[in-house]
Amino acid sequence: MVNVSIARRYARALLDVATEAGRADAVSEQLTSFSSAVGQNRELADVLFNPAYTREQRARVVESLLKALGQVEPVLANSMRLLVDRNRLGYLPDIARLYRDMVDAQAGRVRGHVTSAVPLAADTLQSLAGTLKQLTQRNVVLESRVDPSVLGGVAAQVGSTLYDGTLRTQLEQLRRELKQR
């Protein structure tokens, strides 16, 4: 099991340096992209996380990834090199997640998920984000999901709070009420 406190220390240090440079959001996007690229490619993850490969081999792979991402923030490139040097690449997914959460908290944002039966239009998502902003008193960044079992309506989860306006839930509630009579 990965020690989250180690990942938190790296994420905090990266946030401090990125905030000082005024590039916290840009670093967050690039770190998420880097972590996603590693997570989606089994061979790449094997090279980066497997101790059978030398530090030099992992460093070359990280440098190639940084070049492939294009214009990478210097603070992120240096942090990735540090993770290679300290054999801490195994913490990368947790560092990326914790860093994103810290950047969001610093910016007064919260992330949420919206589930609907059909894909939602961009203006509908924006309107829903505005409504959720009024409810939570924080800027809400929504990720949309499609689940045909919802039947209709939407369910929005922001943090640990679920706002469920789905037809399926309403039918279940009606069924329970009729059963009690």
Side-chain angles (χ1 to χ4, degrees):
M1 182 171 174
V2 175
N3 186 344
V4 178
S5 66
I6 292 173
R8 186 174 292 114
R9 282 190 298 228
Y10 280 95
R12 169 60 58 201
L14 179 58
L15 178 64
D16 290 346
V17 175
T19 300
E20 191 174 295
R23 305 295 296 161
D25 284 327
V27 169
S28 180
E29 290 175 21
Q30 291 176 359
L31 180 59
T32 299
S33 295
F34 192 94
S35 182
S36 295
V38 171
Q40 293 173 357
N41 188 321
R42 179 173 278 171
E43 293 83 17
L44 181 59
D46 182 50
V47 171
L48 293 179
F49 301 149
N50 189 339
Y53 292 95
T54 66
R55 184 174 290 146
E56 291 76 26
Q57 289 171 319
R58 282 181 277 187
R60 284 194 302 267
V61 170
V62 166
E63 289 299 327
S64 296
L65 274 174
L66 292 172
K67 285 180 185 175
L69 284 175
Q71 197 70 3
V72 177
E73 293 294 327
V75 64
L76 178 60
N78 290 337
S79 295
M80 296 310 301
R81 291 178 187 116
L82 180 68
L83 291 174
V84 170
D85 288 343
R86 301 258 171 100
N87 287 324
R88 300 285 195 197
L89 280 173
Y91 295 96
L92 182 62
D94 288 324
I95 292 169
R97 179 182 48 82
L98 290 167
Y99 180 83
R100 186 194 71 201
D101 292 347
M102 289 176 187
V103 169
D104 286 346
Q106 187 178 47
R109 287 187 301 250
V110 65
R111 295 197 180 262
H113 302 282
V114 175
T115 305
S116 61
V118 295
L120 297 174
D123 60 332
T124 304
L125 275 174
Q126 196 171 27
S127 173
L128 188 55
T131 302
L132 291 170
K133 179 180 179 178
Q134 290 175 343
L135 289 170
T136 61
Q137 300 300 310
R138 297 175 82 189
N139 289 328
V140 179
V141 178
L142 290 177
E143 178 184 310
S144 181
R145 297 178 181 166
V146 175
D147 181 2
S149 70
V150 168
L151 301 178
V154 296
Q157 181 167 358
V158 179
S160 61
T161 305
L162 177 65
Y163 303 96
D164 195 343
T166 61
L167 184 58
R168 183 176 72 185
T169 301
Q170 292 173 11
L171 288 172
E172 273 296 313
Q173 185 176 358
L174 182 62
R175 185 182 65 77
R176 277 181 276 169
E177 288 174 7
L178 290 173
K179 206 176 197 179
Q180 290 177 351
R181 292 183 183 180

